[in-house]
Amino acid sequence: MENSEWMGKIIGIASLLLFVVANAYYPARLIANQYRPWSMDVALLFKRYSDIHMWLNVIAFMLMALQAYITNDSKIFLYASILVTVWLTVAGLLKRSRRFSRDTRKQMRLLHTQQTIFVVWLVLLLWGIL
């Protein structure tokens, strides 16, 4: 196995693991919403996890872009998944920005949290890998 191929696989696996840990936020929040009202500790945990979710996704995206550059894989589905990842990352960052009005952030939230886009992203990744 070539050195860049080996490095690309390690970076790709690290990126995938970071995406999984970062996005476990959503199922955890859905489950916790069944047991509202939350204690102050649970509310604080989700506030902190929201910050962790954002930064782990940004780091995972950077690793994903680095892995695509290193491996120079020319599968169209992987490039499409990178574009969807860019969209989700930028929308997530803009959603947290305080420079926009509340209505604009609400619209970005709708754009960012669409489960359909997440499913499309997963399908593109799977087709690109297989």
Side-chain angles (χ1 to χ4, degrees), residues 26 30 37 45 48 55 97 104 107:
Y26 290 110
L30 286 174
L45 172 74
R48 287 184 184 156
W55 287 110
S97 175
T104 304
Q107 292 298 323

Side-chain angles (χ1 to χ4, degrees), residues 46-93:
F46 279 113
K47 169 112 176 72
R48 287 184 184 156
Y49 199 168
S50 177
D51 293 337
I52 292 168
H53 159 78
M54 182 191 71
W55 287 110
L56 286 182
N57 273 319
V58 168
I59 293 167
F61 169 71
M62 288 190 285
L63 287 175
M64 180 185 194
L66 179 63
Q67 190 260 352
Y69 176 76
I70 288 174
T71 60
N72 197 20
D73 202 349
S74 61
K75 293 182 180 176
I76 190 71
F77 295 113
L78 290 177
Y79 285 121
S81 71
I82 289 173
L83 289 176
V84 172
T85 306
V86 167
W87 177 17
L88 290 171
T89 302
V90 170
L93 289 172

Side-chain angles (χ1 to χ4, degrees), residues 16-35:
L16 178 65
L17 289 175
L18 286 175
F19 276 128
V20 167
V21 170
N23 292 303
Y25 171 77
Y26 290 110
R29 185 121 183 196
L30 286 174
I31 292 168
N33 280 339
Q34 302 300 315
Y35 303 101

